């Protein structure tokens, strides 16, 4: 995911959302989904009260897919109470190992 | 795209298979303890036939059927066609295996063995139908599905040859000797069913568990065609021409296929991001390494004489089933079972505090392996030497490892009833 600019009007909300999303872990890889690079983008529209998240899964047939998506939805609701939550799961581009953050790579022993 | 959780099959389609298989493993080693002297004799005798068939149906096939019910939706990206067929298959497989094993042990080739054999055949047919229909509904086409489907075709052929052999015991209608067809039956079962299925499933799971960046699919395709060509030639020559002139060539083709698969696994490992392996993966890799052991043993036997000595043949079968297959299953059980139980304990609408790794003890998997591996090697040495002094302690160690494995698997499944996890 692209870094969040400090000049972004929703900077604080997005950072808080990312922190909460870091609590969601992939059960097999035992790594949080932010460091795993599953979050492709987040957008918060304060005016319309809509939070949109574009995310992926490590494989399209990931058996824990619904659990991960469910966790993302829960965290988004907690970060943005009263907002409509829109989550889009995409496989374009397909997730690859290059998405893993530096901290994630260290945790996996790469 | 739909997310795969909706494809997760129910508990009844998977867990009874896992637990029954774990229980059978203990029984196998107890039976082996009472039949140790028989391991020094010819492999074609009642007690060894009983142990082999319990290993094949009660242990290997039992757990593989359960695992494929769980994995097929992941591989094929679609729901399992039926959740009733696996239950029916299980209800046919368990009594069928009991009848078959009991009849072989006491060598009573009367009606119970035929009821048992047809019951097992029905179970395998029901399971295969479920797999074929599921695969036909899959939106994806890949080599992994081809491996799984073809393995099921070989499974059915193996079972049909087995029943033909049983009928031949009574009616004696086959032109060549019984041992000739037994070789075809065993080879088709080992390479066609177990090997192809394991290659197919592991080629999906290994890169997934290790997070491999590079997969050499070409190696898998090569392995698929090499092994299947060998098996088709083997079956044609063995059953139609009643000859075994080309066996060495076919074994070489299979060995080349295994080599191609091992290279694929090696490249997956080399390009893996996840270098820290848990004990389940370590045991699985050790098992994949032991795939060479039966190949080396049978090659030694073939170089020794035209017909391999009986101890070599027994050691070959033993090292395939209780080395490669058993160690691989023991390792993969604690990769898949906690995850399966976890999926039934947790709900997608709650944040997961519980993780699959919390449901089993990694140290117990290591301990189980440290008891099993030396026990297996001692017993193998005992078959080759032959010596009861090596086989008895080896067998006792394998009994201990299997009891530990059964207890551990039962503990993981029992967590479904654990009140502590009710609110997850």
């Amino acid at each position: 995911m692209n870094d969040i600019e400090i000049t972004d009007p929703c900077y604080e909300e997005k950072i808080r959302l990312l922190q909460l999303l870091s609590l969601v872990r992939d059960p097999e890889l035992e790594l949080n989904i932010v460091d795993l690079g599953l979050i492709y983008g987040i957008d918060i529209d304060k005016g319309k009260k809509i939070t949109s998240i574009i995310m992926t899964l490590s494989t399209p047939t990931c058996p824990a897919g619904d659990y991960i998506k469910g966790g993302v939805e829960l965290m988004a609701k907690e970060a943005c109470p009263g907002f409509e939550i829109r989550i889009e799961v995409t496989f374009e581009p397909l997730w690859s190992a290059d998405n893993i953050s530096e901290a994630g790579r260290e945790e996996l022993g790469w | 795209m739909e997310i795969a959780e909706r494809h997760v099959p129910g508990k009844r389609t998977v867990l009874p298979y896992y637990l029954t298989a774990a229980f059978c493993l203990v029984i196998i080693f107890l039976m082996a303890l009472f039949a140790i002297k028989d391991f020094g004799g010819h492999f074609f005798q009642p007690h060894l036939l009983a142990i082999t068939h319990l290993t094949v149906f009660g242990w290997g096939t039992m757990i593989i059927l359960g695992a494929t019910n769980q994995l097929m939706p992941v591989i094929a990206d679609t729901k399992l066609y039926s959740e009733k067929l696996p239950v029916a298959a299980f209800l046919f497989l368990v009594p069928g295996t009991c009848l078959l094993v009991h009849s072989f042990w006491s060598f009573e080739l009367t009606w119970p063995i035929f009821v048992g054999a047809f019951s097992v055949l029905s179970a395998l047919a029901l399971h295969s139908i479920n797999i074929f229909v599921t695969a036909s509904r899959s939106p994806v086409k890949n080599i992994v599905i081809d491996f799984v489907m073809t393995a099921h075709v070989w499974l059915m052929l193996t079972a049909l040859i087995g029943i033909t052999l049983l009928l031949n015991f009574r009616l004696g209608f086959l032109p060549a000797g019984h041992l000739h067809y037994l070789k075809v039956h065993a080879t088709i079962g080992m390479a066609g069913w177990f090997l192809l299925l394991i290659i197919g499933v592991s080629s999906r799971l290994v890169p997934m568990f290790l997070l491999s960046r590079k997969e050499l699919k070409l190696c898998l395709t090569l392995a698929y065609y090499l092994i299947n060509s060998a098996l088709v030639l083997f079956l044609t020559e063995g059953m139609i021409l009643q000859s075994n002139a080309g066996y060495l060539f076919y074994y070489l083709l299979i060995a080349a296929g295994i080599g191609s698969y091992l290279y694929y696994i090696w490249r997956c490992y080399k390009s893996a991001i996840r270098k820290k392996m848990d004990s389940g993966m370590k045991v699985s890799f050790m098992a994949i390494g032991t795939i060479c052991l039966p190949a080396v043993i049978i090659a030694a036997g073939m170089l020794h004489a035209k017909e391999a000595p009986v101890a070599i043949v027994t050691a070959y079968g033993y090292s395939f089933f209780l080395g490669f297959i058993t160690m691989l299953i023991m390792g993969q059980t604690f990769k898949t079972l906690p995850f399966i139980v976890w999926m039934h304990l947790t709900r997608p609408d709650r944040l997961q505090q519980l993780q699959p790794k919390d449901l089993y003890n990694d140290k117990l998997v290591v301990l189980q392996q440290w008891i099993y591996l030396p026990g297996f090697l001692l017993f193998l040495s005992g078959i080759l030497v032959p010596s009861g002094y090596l086989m008895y302690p080896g067998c006792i160690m394998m009994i201990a490892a299997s009891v530990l494995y059964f207890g551990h698997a039962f503990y993981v499944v029992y967590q479904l009833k654990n009140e502590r996890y009710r609110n997850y």
Side-chain angles (χ1 to χ4, degrees):
Chain A
M1 204 189 87
N2 292 331
D3 290 336
I4 300 162
E5 297 291 333
I6 199 156
T7 51
D8 189 318
C10 298
Y11 176 78
E12 273 182 35
E13 289 84 353
K14 284 185 178 178
I15 290 292
R16 177 165 161 70
L17 176 56
L18 272 183
Q19 281 171 344
L20 284 169
L21 288 176
S22 300
L23 297 176
V24 182
R25 296 177 81 81
D26 182 302
E28 165 49 33
L29 302 173
E30 294 158 24
L31 188 63
N32 77 72
I33 60 166
V34 176
D35 280 331
L36 200 51
L38 296 185
I39 304 298
Y40 281 175
I42 53 178
D43 187 52
I44 298 175
D45 187 331
K46 282 184 184 169
K48 292 180 183 167
K49 294 195 117 188
I50 297 171
T51 298
S52 308
I53 298 170
I54 302 174
M55 61 172 288
T56 191
L57 298 168
S58 54
T59 58
T61 53
C62 172
D66 258 12
Y67 295 85
I68 294 172
K69 191 185 168 195
V72 168
E73 195 172 342
L74 273 179
M75 291 300 103
K77 278 180 185 166
E78 197 171 323
C80 310
F83 277 51
E84 183 190 336
I85 309 296
R86 291 180 183 171
I87 298 171
E88 185 193 336
V89 181
T90 181
F91 294 100
E92 284 172 13
L94 268 176
W95 178 87
S96 88
D98 298 328
N99 296 12
I100 300 175
S101 71
E102 203 58 49
R105 290 174 192 199
E106 230 167 81
E107 210 174 313
L108 290 167
W110 192 2
Chain B
M1 189 182 283
E2 241 186 292
I3 297 178
E5 195 275 335
R6 290 179 200 107
H7 304 331
V8 174
K11 289 180 275 222
R12 286 184 309 168
T13 62
V14 181
L15 298 180
Y17 286 96
Y18 270 77
L19 289 182
T20 310
F23 179 70
C24 284
L25 188 65
V26 180
I27 304 297
I28 289 163
F29 294 125
L30 286 174
M31 284 167 73
L33 187 67
F34 288 105
I36 279 201
K37 283 181 184 156
D38 300 314
F39 280 89
H42 199 280
F43 54 87
F44 190 67
Q45 51 101 343
H47 290 169
L48 294 194
L49 283 174
I51 292 170
T52 305
H53 282 84
L54 185 59
T55 308
V56 168
F57 293 120
W59 167 235
T61 301
M62 182 75 71
I63 206 161
I64 286 174
L65 296 197
T68 44
N69 287 335
Q70 180 73 31
L71 290 171
M72 197 57 195
V74 178
I75 292 168
D77 190 19
T78 188
K79 259 184 137 159
L80 200 61
Y81 164 63
S82 163
E83 296 216 359
K84 286 179 183 157
L85 284 177
V87 177
F90 179 78
L91 294 175
F92 274 109
L93 187 58
V94 173
T97 304
C98 291
L99 282 173
L100 204 59
V101 171
H102 177 265
S103 302
F104 273 127
W105 186 266
S106 52
F107 213 63
E108 286 167 13
L109 304 179
T110 49
W111 66 267
I113 199 166
F114 290 97
V115 174
F118 279 100
S119 184
V120 168
L121 183 69
S122 309
L124 303 181
L126 292 173
H127 176 80
S128 300
I129 289 167
N130 209 16
I131 294 298
F132 289 140
V133 180
T134 305
S136 70
R137 294 177 167 197
S138 168
V140 290
K141 297 279 171 253
N142 57 47
I143 190 74
V144 178
I145 296 178
D146 293 343
F147 266 106
V148 174
M149 300 249 290
T150 316
H152 280 82
V153 173
W154 289 118
L155 171 68
M156 290 308 296
L157 282 170
T158 308
L160 287 170
I161 296 172
I163 286 184
T164 310
L165 284 176
L166 271 183
L167 290 168
N168 190 50
F169 263 132
R170 296 294 298 263
L171 308 169
F173 57 88
L174 291 172
H178 209 80
L179 286 179
H180 168 78
Y181 300 108
L182 190 70
K183 195 189 272 183
V184 179
H185 174 59
T187 305
I188 300 294
M190 286 157 83
W193 165 234
F194 285 110
L195 192 60
L196 282 185
L197 195 100
I198 285 167
I199 290 178
V201 172
S202 64
S203 66
R204 177 79 179 82
L205 293 183
V206 169
M208 195 168 94
F209 287 147
L210 294 181
L211 282 174
S212 303
R213 282 169 296 162
K214 208 175 263 180
E215 289 180 51
L216 279 181
K217 297 274 188 201
L218 183 68
C219 289
L220 283 182
T221 309
L222 191 64
Y224 178 83
Y225 286 105
L226 283 169
I227 297 172
N228 278 302
S229 314
L231 289 172
V232 170
L233 292 169
F234 199 96
L235 185 68
T236 311
E237 192 186 336
M239 294 305 285
I240 298 169
L241 305 173
Q242 330 289 342
S243 151
N244 58 7
Y247 279 11
L248 184 61
F249 175 63
Y250 312 144
Y251 280 121
L252 285 175
L253 283 181
I254 292 173
I258 293 172
S260 187
Y261 161 70
L262 288 177
Y263 186 66
Y264 168 84
I265 293 290
W266 172 247
R267 289 300 295 264
C268 284
Y269 176 74
K270 288 298 280 181
S271 68
I273 289 172
R274 200 183 188 189
K275 296 288 187 199
K276 271 192 223 165
M277 278 196 274
D278 52 28
S279 51
M281 282 311 282
K282 282 180 192 161
V283 174
S284 303
F285 264 86
M286 202 183 285
I288 290 171
T290 59
I291 198 175
C292 302
L293 200 55
V296 170
I297 290 172
I298 201 69
M302 282 175 156
L303 289 174
H304 181 268
K306 196 181 173 207
E307 278 296 317
V310 284
I312 293 275
V313 178
T314 308
Y316 163 69
Y318 166 82
S319 60
F320 181 83
F321 286 115
L322 296 173
F324 167 56
I325 300 278
T326 298
M327 279 197 263
L328 189 64
I329 293 174
M330 279 178 146
Q332 282 299 305
T333 298
F334 296 103
K335 287 298 295 172
T336 54
L337 191 58
F339 196 86
I340 293 164
V341 170
W342 176 86
M343 279 199 284
H344 291 293
L345 272 175
T346 51
R347 282 170 40 183
D349 60 350
R350 292 196 180 156
L351 185 64
Q352 308 311 324
Q353 303 296 337
L354 179 73
Q355 295 295 323
K357 70 175 168 57
D358 302 325
L359 296 172
Y360 77 103
N361 189 327
D362 206 51
K363 284 180 185 159
L364 277 185
V365 180
V366 178
L367 178 67
Q368 161 205 296
Q369 191 58 15
W370 279 114
I371 300 172
Y372 188 80
L373 186 63
F376 161 75
L377 291 172
L378 269 176
F379 201 92
L380 179 65
S381 315
I383 293 173
L384 288 168
V385 173
S387 161
Y389 292 111
L390 292 171
M391 279 195 268
Y392 276 109
C395 194
I396 287 164
M397 288 174 91
M398 289 192 290
I399 290 171
S402 64
V403 169
L404 188 60
Y405 169 83
F406 172 64
H408 202 182
F410 185 82
Y411 169 81
V412 174
V413 176
Y414 186 72
Q415 298 314 306
L416 286 166
K417 301 253 179 217
N418 192 334
E419 287 295 327
R420 193 156 48 113
Y421 298 136
R422 280 292 160 90
N423 293 323
Y424 283 101

